[in-house]
Amino acid sequence: MISKITVKGAVQGVGYRPFILKKATEYGLQGFVRNIGAAVDILVKGDEETILKFTEMIKGEYPSGAFILNVEKCELSNEEYTKYLSSLNIQGDFEKFEIITSGEIDLPSELPVFLPDIGICPDCMSEMLDPKDRRYHYPLISCAGCGPRISILNMLPYDRDTTTMIDFEMCPECAAEYTLGRRRHAQTISCHDCGPQYILIDFTQKSYSQCNTKDITKIIRNDSTDNSLTIERAISLLRDNKIIGLKGSSGYQLVCKPNNNAASNLRHTKGREKKPFAVMFSNIKAIEEYCYVNDMEKELLESSARPIVLLNVKKAFDYEVCKDSRYIGAFLPSVGIHRLLCDAVGPLIVTSANKSDEPIIIDDDVFLTEFKGKGVDAVLVHKRKINMPQDDSVMFVAELKDGKYLSLFNRRARGYVPLPIFVKESKDNNNSVKVLAFGGDLKSTFSFGYKDKIIPSQYLGDLKDFGVNDNLKKLLASYEDIFKFKPESIVCDMHPLYESGRLAKEYSNKYNLPIFEVQHHHAHILSVMAEKSLKSCIGVSFDGTGYGTDGNIWGGEFLYCNGSEFERCGHMSYIKLCGGDNASRNAKLVKECYYNAAKNSKEVPGLVKAALDNNINVFNASSVGRLFDCVCALLGIKEENSFEGECAIALEKEAWNYLESHKEDASNGSYYKLSFEITKGDEGKYIPDQTALFTDICYALYEKNIPADELSYSFHMALSDVIVRVCEYIKENKKESKVCLSGGVFGNRLLLTNTYQKLLESGFEVFVNELVPAGDAGISVGQAYYLMLKED
């Protein structure tokens, strides 16, 4: 029997072909394996049962760092086999299994699947910690199954001379290892003798403190230093509560001990007033001293992506580290240097080296300009160039009642980018068009869409920042060059003042390409539909803001989506807000606007009432994000968002506090009940009344003296209940039982898990974002899918 097996996924740069060679030989099969750019082709000869077992093995076994997305097998007749060999210019037959020359990569015809940066594997970690190993304490150790990938890539195909490792010639021992074993074809192979080495620029020493940036950059590029002495000095500085810079695999980081003194200085250095810091630990055991860790959280922490995972606190760090958060953002070392520092010092704050809201730094000169003499005491740096900046990915696990877990993204970047989302092709759809989607402005990303794949970029930041704006242009050009991707259509948000829209229109005009606009909340739902290859659903899209088709600000939307079209079947009632962009920061102001809507003018300051009455800088909003802000301020919890979602996070924390201290009351429903009134609006839309709910909360708070934590919990339950009720109405009208939940509000675990569970219990199929964030970073995926769904 002869079979041709095509394996799609991230299979370049992880020793996949040597792995297949070994396995096929063990199974006693003849044939070959070769790279074909976007996949791997395997041809095997043998008996039917053995080939079947081999194929099943491929689906479940693969080298560390590989991502297998699809395995296709077809049988070849003798005639087809002969023609296939002839097409590859292969004469004769195969008596054993071999690795043959890679096929010519035709990138324009296919979006290739390429690997993200891969966290240090257990084998390399073991070698680095073994005093007998020649790579003992080599901080940039890697093999065919781990190390940087996309961040050092110059062009495809992935070979040493197409990465920034071209600057480092292999020593004889590494060259020998490159031809066999675990480091066969390991493009990042290096060691103390031949690889990039860390050096320490200590700004506390006169020799460096008086140097200018240009002189220090020359030192970095020309110096060769003993790693062990360099790292020992860095460890000493960290123990003394100093802040050091660290050039990692995909960007500069700032590192310090997790205590009030160091963390407070770091906040001043970064301009990061209240947002929690993530903490890196040596191993899972160290994490479990401070955090509760379930099985899925452990799996994520130890995965090759090494994301930050938001874990429930068991033992808190000093206040300045995590501030008021109920979670610790914990993660494990992704490169050897992290482990060496954590082993010596203990848990460490490791955060991106940037000023708040600006892009992570990858350039030596830029880091020195931004941080030398400005709160950073030293920097650990190596000479390997970084081509593509990437922040750490951030994830959390939502636990459902039936023991099911959902692993979800807050931020998708290092460790996952540029892995694609696979969508099912259809003859009725527009998948053959190469789509470039520009996303939104906040938490910006862009996406490529073509055939069966959508490739979203890493998280970039807020496009209002000049550096982020400029970074998007550079990164887009880099992606286009790497993937040899020439867009044929452009998609963007319909907001007339979005920077992403302006950039999209500039691009469209420059290359004379058609441009399409997609409503913000429709794109949120489409992002879930893309992940699940859905063609229709009920969409519940809750967030802070998005420009609506009626010119108002949407954010509490119930949609019926069918193909590339949508119908707005319901929405939260409109509230007139004032203050423009300030409303998203000033929860107290939002509360006063709700008081005005409830006709309680004594609680509305004169200037606010005058603005609302005279329509000065006002807008109508159905935003659930602003409703969270209002309730948070009303209950006296917090009145300002110093970072996005701060008030909503604080309100959720109060609700969790009630649930955890009143489990019996919560489970039997004996807490104070709040409920939305639903009215039928224009054109039959279902309208949950925000004003009536606000009035009920005021009554409960001031007349019934219900505690803030209980009302916080009740508010969350009321929101879950109204989602189910409106979805039931839409289901009855549209005969649709699939529900997609998306938008930044569903980053709230309590709301998400309760809504998910109640929808399931009401007979719905429920889908959420699991491959991209539910917030605005997922918008570009939805936009790309819009055009892929759109009929020609």
Side-chain angles (χ1 to χ4, degrees):
M1 182 178 181
I2 304 170
S3 295
K4 180 173 174 285
I5 304 168
T6 300
V7 182
K8 290 186 176 182
V11 289
Q12 285 195 51
V14 289
Y16 191 74
R17 287 173 298 162
F19 167 80
I20 291 296
L21 170 64
K22 179 182 176 185
K23 289 294 184 180
T25 302
E26 288 175 0
Y27 277 78
L29 297 170
Q30 294 85 46
F32 62 81
V33 59
R34 67 178 192 137
N35 274 333
I36 54 171
V40 164
D41 262 357
I42 304 167
L43 186 130
V44 286
K45 293 173 62 181
D47 64 80
E48 183 176 356
E49 184 179 353
T50 302
I51 290 177
L52 185 62
K53 288 180 180 178
F54 176 74
T55 306
E56 288 303 307
M57 179 278 299
I58 289 173
K59 295 176 182 178
E61 293 185 38
Y62 38 84
S64 174
F67 293 83
I68 307 303
L69 300 166
N70 191 31
V71 178
E72 299 172 356
K73 181 170 78 72
C74 66
E75 311 310 325
L76 299 182
S77 66
N78 287 330
E79 183 180 352
E80 289 170 330
Y81 173 55
T82 302
K83 285 183 178 179
Y84 182 51
L85 293 185
S86 178
S87 71
L88 302 178
N89 294 318
I90 296 174
Q91 304 297 321
D93 207 347
F94 288 88
E95 300 301 325
K96 59 180 182 177
F97 197 88
E98 304 175 18
I99 297 173
I100 68 169
T101 305
S102 298
E104 185 176 337
I105 298 176
D106 183 13
L107 290 176
S109 71
E110 186 92 21
L111 268 175
V113 181
F114 187 67
L115 282 167
D117 287 6
I118 303 169
I120 182 171
C121 70
D123 288 334
C124 283
M125 186 73 83
S126 178
E127 288 177 351
M128 187 190 71
L129 299 177
D130 181 0
K132 298 177 182 178
D133 194 274
R134 77 182 192 90
R135 290 187 177 88
Y136 176 60
H137 278 196
Y138 179 56
L140 292 169
I141 189 172
S142 66
C143 67
C146 68
R149 296 297 190 266
I150 188 67
S151 65
I152 63 169
L153 186 68
N154 292 324
M155 61 182 291
L156 288 173
Y158 174 69
D159 290 308
R160 192 177 182 93
D161 60 1
T162 60
T163 72
T164 60
M165 286 301 295
I166 193 174
D167 296 333
F168 303 92
E169 184 177 350
M170 285 184 275
C171 66
E173 286 183 271
C174 283
E177 288 179 291
Y178 187 75
T179 63
L180 49 84
R182 211 178 82 248
R183 290 190 170 85
R184 183 173 184 178
H185 297 295
Q187 311 306 346
T188 56
I189 187 172
S190 59
C191 69
H192 289 290
D193 296 326
C194 66
Q197 311 293 320
Y198 271 108
I199 62 171
L200 184 77
I201 307 297
D202 187 346
F203 303 138
T204 65
Q205 296 180 358
K206 281 188 177 181
S207 57
Y208 289 127
S209 64
Q210 295 175 356
C211 279
N212 61 36
T213 296
K214 199 173 287 187
D215 290 335
I216 293 177
T217 303
K218 286 180 182 177
I219 294 169
I220 292 171
R221 290 172 184 162
N222 298 324
D223 199 279
S224 180
T225 306
D226 183 333
N227 272 319
S228 61
L229 297 177
T230 291
I231 293 167
E232 282 179 16
R233 175 59 182 154
I235 288 167
S236 176
L237 289 167
L238 288 170
R239 285 173 174 160
D240 287 341
N241 284 332
K242 304 296 185 183
I243 298 169
I244 69 167
L246 172 66
K247 188 176 184 180
S249 63
S250 55
Y252 271 92
Q253 297 171 312
L254 298 176
V255 183
C256 69
K257 288 177 70 174
N259 59 41
N260 277 335
N261 184 17
S264 179
N265 291 337
L266 183 58
R267 290 192 179 280
H268 179 74
T269 298
K270 280 179 63 79
R272 179 171 173 163
E273 186 180 349
K274 294 183 179 179
K275 198 172 182 182
F277 286 122
V279 180
M280 181 177 284
F281 298 80
S282 283
N283 49 48
I284 288 289
K285 185 177 179 182
I287 292 178
E288 288 175 335
E289 182 182 344
Y290 289 87
C291 308
Y292 296 99
V293 185
N294 64 38
D295 290 343
M296 178 165 275
E297 288 165 342
K298 181 180 179 182
E299 185 179 327
L300 287 174
L301 287 162
E302 293 182 329
S303 71
S304 63
R306 296 291 197 279
I308 296 168
V309 182
L310 302 178
L311 304 173
N312 285 302
V313 177
K314 182 189 292 184
K315 182 175 81 174
F317 287 103
D318 286 357
Y319 178 73
E320 284 295 329
V321 178
C322 299
K323 290 287 187 176
D324 295 313
S325 178
R326 64 179 271 108
Y327 307 113
I328 292 175
F331 61 141
L332 293 173
S334 57
V335 289
I337 184 63
H338 289 146
R339 178 63 184 266
L340 295 176
L341 296 178
C342 285
D343 278 358
V345 184
L348 291 168
I349 294 174
V350 181
T351 186
S352 56
N354 58 353
K355 302 293 184 180
S356 279
D357 299 324
E358 293 180 4
I360 186 171
I361 294 169
I362 61 172
D363 184 86
D364 302 331
D365 289 343
V366 174
F367 179 86
L368 293 168
T369 300
E370 287 291 326
F371 290 108
K372 178 180 175 288
K374 300 173 185 177
V376 176
D377 299 287
V379 57
L380 270 173
V381 62
H382 56 75
K383 289 184 276 186
R384 184 172 63 204
K385 297 188 191 83
I386 301 172
N387 286 344
M388 190 172 292
Q390 294 189 86
D391 293 276
D392 293 304
S393 294
V394 182
M395 303 187 73
F396 67 97
V397 172
E399 185 174 357
L400 303 173
K401 288 182 181 177
D402 59 1
K404 180 181 178 182
Y405 292 121
L406 297 171
S407 64
L408 307 165
F409 282 95
N410 271 9
R411 183 168 72 201
R412 184 180 188 268
R414 184 191 53 75
Y416 296 96
V417 172
L419 292 177
I421 294 165
F422 273 77
V423 297
K424 291 179 181 176
E425 293 185 79
S426 168
K427 64 180 180 180
D428 299 324
N429 296 343
N430 216 14
N431 296 58
S432 60
V433 173
K434 294 180 178 178
V435 180
L436 167 58
F438 273 83
D441 275 20
L442 198 63
K443 301 183 185 299
S444 168
T445 63
F446 61 83
S447 287
F448 292 166
Y450 184 46
K451 292 187 177 179
D452 63 343
K453 303 183 194 78
I454 299 174
I455 296 181
S457 75
Q458 59 266 50
Y459 160 87
L460 297 172
D462 187 347
L463 286 180
K464 289 182 181 179
D465 179 85
F466 173 80
V468 174
N469 202 305
D470 188 55
N471 199 31
L472 183 147
K473 297 173 188 175
K474 291 177 180 176
L475 198 61
L476 176 56
S478 179
Y479 266 67
E480 288 179 335
D481 185 50
I482 287 172
F483 293 108
K484 299 295 181 277
F485 189 83
K486 292 185 178 179
E488 297 167 338
S489 289
I490 307 300
V491 196
C492 66
D493 195 279
M494 66 179 291
H495 197 299
L497 300 179
Y498 264 14
E499 272 295 299
S500 54
R502 182 186 66 79
L503 292 169
K505 290 176 178 67
E506 276 185 8
Y507 195 103
S508 171
N509 291 334
K510 182 178 180 180
Y511 295 104
N512 193 27
L513 298 176
I515 187 167
F516 300 83
E517 295 181 342
V518 183
Q519 199 280 323
H520 189 89
H521 300 91
H522 184 206
H524 271 307
I525 301 305
L526 284 165
S527 70
V528 185
M529 292 171 67
E531 290 189 22
K532 315 301 178 185
S533 293
L534 300 179
K535 298 296 178 64
S536 67
C537 71
I538 298 167
V540 183
S541 185
F542 284 2
D543 65 3
T545 181
Y547 189 77
T549 57
D550 60 358
N552 291 316
I553 299 301
W554 293 6
E557 309 309 308
F558 297 91
L559 312 177
Y560 172 62
C561 301
N562 190 6
S564 63
E565 304 299 318
F566 81 95
E567 177 186 344
R568 193 187 194 199
C569 295
H571 61 86
M572 292 292 173
S573 63
Y574 284 125
I575 300 292
K576 185 190 283 188
L577 303 178
C578 66
D581 289 344
N582 187 44
S584 65
R585 296 184 292 271
N586 191 339
K588 181 174 180 287
L589 172 62
V590 173
K591 176 189 69 174
E592 292 161 356
C593 292
Y594 273 78
Y595 268 123
N596 187 74
K599 306 203 182 306
N600 188 344
S601 59
K602 67 178 183 179
E603 299 290 344
V604 186
L607 285 175
V608 174
K609 182 156 181 57
L612 292 167
D613 289 347
N614 293 286
N615 293 317
I616 300 170
N617 199 19
V618 300
F619 56 96
N620 289 319
S622 60
S623 167
V624 174
R626 297 294 78 78
L627 176 60
F628 266 88
D629 291 345
C630 165
V631 175
C632 183
L634 177 64
L635 298 181
I637 299 167
K638 194 174 288 289
E639 292 190 332
E640 181 184 7
N641 286 307
S642 64
F643 59 88
E644 188 199 8
E646 183 179 4
C647 287
I649 291 167
L651 187 65
E652 181 192 2
K653 182 180 179 182
E654 282 295 309
W656 277 112
N657 288 344
Y658 176 80
L659 176 60
E660 289 165 356
S661 59
H662 298 79
K663 287 183 180 179
E664 187 174 338
D665 290 342
S667 63
N668 63 28
S670 61
Y671 57 89
Y672 186 88
K673 296 289 178 55
L674 295 169
S675 180
F676 281 88
E677 296 176 12
I678 301 175
T679 61
K680 266 289 190 74
D682 296 339
E683 303 172 358
K685 293 182 176 67
Y686 301 101
I687 315 292
D689 191 335
Q690 295 195 71
T691 306
L693 182 81
F694 174 79
T695 301
D696 288 349
I697 296 174
C698 289
Y699 174 78
L701 183 65
Y702 296 119
E703 301 297 327
K704 303 288 288 183
N705 296 314
I706 305 300
D709 61 346
E710 185 173 352
L711 288 175
S712 298
Y713 180 77
S714 182
F715 169 72
H716 281 76
M717 296 305 101
L719 203 50
S720 292
D721 288 340
V722 80
I723 290 171
V724 176
R725 286 160 59 202
V726 174
C727 286
E728 286 174 338
Y729 293 143
I730 299 172
K731 178 183 179 181
E732 185 177 343
N733 289 336
K734 300 297 182 182
K735 311 305 179 189
E736 175 63 73
S737 62
K738 298 186 293 295
V739 177
C740 292
L741 308 175
S742 191
V745 167
F746 287 107
N748 181 314
R749 295 190 208 189
L750 183 59
L751 177 65
L752 176 67
T753 53
N754 275 278
T755 303
Y756 194 106
Q757 197 67 43
K758 288 175 181 177
L759 285 167
L760 286 178
E761 291 166 359
S762 296
F764 291 97
E765 292 181 81
V766 191
F767 303 93
V768 298
N769 291 107
E770 296 182 78
L771 302 179
V772 294
D776 283 7
I779 287 283
S780 65
V781 169
Q783 291 171 348
Y785 194 52
Y786 164 82
L787 208 54
M788 295 168 83
L789 282 175
K790 195 172 179 64
E791 295 181 8
D792 291 331

